[in-house]
């Protein structure tokens, strides 16, 4: 085993350290967060920190970097109260990555990167039309993380849009690999996935069985 | 597009709803958290909510369910102050899933599922010997999420162990797919991954380029 300690990575060049540390947490669900500002200009950003908080009520969180580094998405969520999360597929992966560029607030990032705004009735924030799986969140709480000035932003699930070609299984599961949802690792690596297995609910003293 | 609203999933059977809602957040980094209690009995649990909080200082979080549902890992982390996170590989995937069974506090879950405790000098919590990528965290903060009685548990990275066969790239990145790290989705589905591409840091007005 190679052993690394904090004294070592604190001495590393900043981007080397960021690549290494960001790799460690494993594969992540890179998704596009869609928002709109008070002037009606939409914003789109790729985030890889979506995290399941609970199913009942259905709560989903993400980590927002310090305001100085990533101001637009958080400001728009605060102003509007609603935001969308859109899965990424290989057909528009380059456009999705390009949303990580630091565009000025007045730039419509859908237009800048070549993706399409989609509005559904009664919802005033944009979805990404090209995405096969997407959902609407309403802001519930912004929890400051004082250790490094980031935020845990928690939204409640309000609506889900899923392409007709992907039906939930008889037990409610979604085979995201069949929908082509990608995942990410580190700052800039994207992956497709292949199912190994689903396993039945585990109980002490019972063998693991495939579903 | 199929459109689902909150009134619908609130009417669903509990496990159907849990499978559906847990699928939405996308692929996750299922990892094994290793802890030890005050009596010296180790505990091992699979968690799929590891989330990168920051690189400098290196902070990594996870969501702990309400104490009544998932008491042991959190109690051990509070008592000891240190815990390990261990990547999962296909060779011991069934054992990893089995750690989600609700064993009594006095059961050593390494022994119960057939995985091996590994201790390194100066560290008094167990790693999983079979894991190729693993790290030690020291508890920094437990943030209660009052919306549903869960917790964001944040640790600071103290040590990293990586199998000799996996070298960081020249820019610090770790090719987790080559190490066989799996990812998960929903409550019980596990996946292998295949790299699509890495892309250069994005800037406005510049084409996306592969690394």
């Amino acid at each position: 085993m190679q052993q690394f300690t904090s004294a070592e990575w604190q001495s590393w060049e900043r981007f080397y350290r960021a690549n290494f540390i960001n790799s460690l947490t494993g594969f992540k669900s890179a998704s596009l967060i869609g928002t709109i500002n008070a002037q009606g200009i939409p914003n789109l950003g790729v985030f890889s920190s979506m995290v399941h908080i609970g199913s009942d009520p259905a709560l989903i969180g993400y980590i927002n970097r310090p305001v100085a580094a990533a101001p637009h998405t958080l400001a728009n969520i605060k102003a509007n109260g609603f935001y969308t999360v859109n899965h990424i597929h290989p057909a528009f992966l380059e456009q999705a990555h390009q949303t990580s560029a630091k565009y000025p607030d007045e730039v419509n990032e859908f237009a800048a990167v070549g993706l399409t705004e989609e509005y559904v009735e009664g919802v005033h924030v944009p979805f990404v039309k090209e995405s096969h799986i997407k959902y609407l969140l309403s802001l519930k709480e912004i929890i400051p993380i004082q250790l490094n000035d980031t935020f845990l932003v928690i939204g409640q699930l309000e609506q889900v849009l899923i392409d007709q070609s992907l039906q939930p299984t008889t037990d409610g599961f979604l085979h995201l690999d069949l929908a082509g949802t990608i995942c990410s690792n580190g700052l800039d690596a994207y992956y497709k996935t292949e199912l190994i297995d689903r396993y039945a609910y585990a109980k002490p003293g019972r063998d693991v069985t495939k579903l």
Side-chain angles (χ1 to χ4, degrees), chain A:
Chain A
M1 282 280 165
Q2 306 163 78
Q3 195 165 359
F4 302 89
T5 60
S6 57
E8 266 174 278
W9 59 74
Q10 278 160 21
S11 75
W12 288 343
E13 184 272 331
R14 179 182 158 213
F15 284 103
Y16 190 98
R17 179 174 56 232
N19 278 321
F20 182 86
I21 305 293
N22 273 278
S23 300
L24 285 178
T25 36
F27 295 104
K28 304 181 276 194
S29 70
S31 303
L32 289 167
I33 297 185
T35 60
I36 197 161
N37 73 11
Q39 289 72 46
I41 302 171
N43 182 283
L44 198 58
V46 61
F47 287 79
S48 59
S49 57
M50 306 312 301
V51 62
H52 175 85
I53 308 278
S55 292
D56 189 20
L59 298 170
I60 294 172
Y62 82 91
I63 303 294
N64 201 99
R65 291 189 298 149
V67 169
H72 301 157
T73 298
L74 191 58
N76 291 358
I77 290 174
K78 278 184 186 173
N80 186 290
F82 290 87
Y83 49 115
T84 72
V85 181
N86 307 267
H87 285 210
I88 299 168
H89 314 293
F92 62 89
L93 179 52
E94 295 195 2
Q95 292 95 316
H97 181 73
Q98 182 63 22
T99 66
S100 63
K102 291 185 193 300
Y103 291 98
D105 197 22
E106 66 271 18
V107 170
N108 175 339
E109 287 165 348
F110 282 85
V113 307
L115 290 169
T116 313
E117 295 167 54
E118 177 183 43
Y119 293 88
V120 306
E121 199 184 325
V123 177
H124 304 294
V125 286
F127 289 95
V128 175
K129 187 174 173 56
E130 289 82 356
S131 176
H132 305 151
I133 303 175
K134 43 205 165 191
Y135 49 93
L136 174 70
L137 296 174
S138 62
L139 176 64
K140 296 303 286 185
E141 191 172 2
I142 298 172
I143 300 179
I145 299 172
Q146 293 176 346
L147 288 164
N148 68 346
D149 296 329
T150 57
F151 303 88
L152 173 62
V153 182
I154 302 178
Q156 182 160 321
L157 191 66
E158 300 289 346
Q159 268 195 48
V160 178
L161 299 176
I162 300 178
D163 191 83
Q164 294 291 351
S165 65
L166 184 71
Q167 296 294 329
T169 60
T170 53
D171 64 352
F173 180 72
L174 297 170
H175 278 288
L176 300 185
D177 52 330
L178 301 183
T181 294
I182 59 94
C183 66
S184 73
N185 186 41
L187 299 170
D188 52 32
Y190 301 93
Y191 300 81
K192 50 187 169 183
T193 67
E194 184 185 334
L195 182 66
I196 300 171
D197 271 311
R198 291 185 70 194
Y199 296 116
Y201 187 81
K203 290 189 177 178
R206 189 169 74 175
D207 283 348
V208 172
T209 54
K210 297 179 183 180
L211 281 185

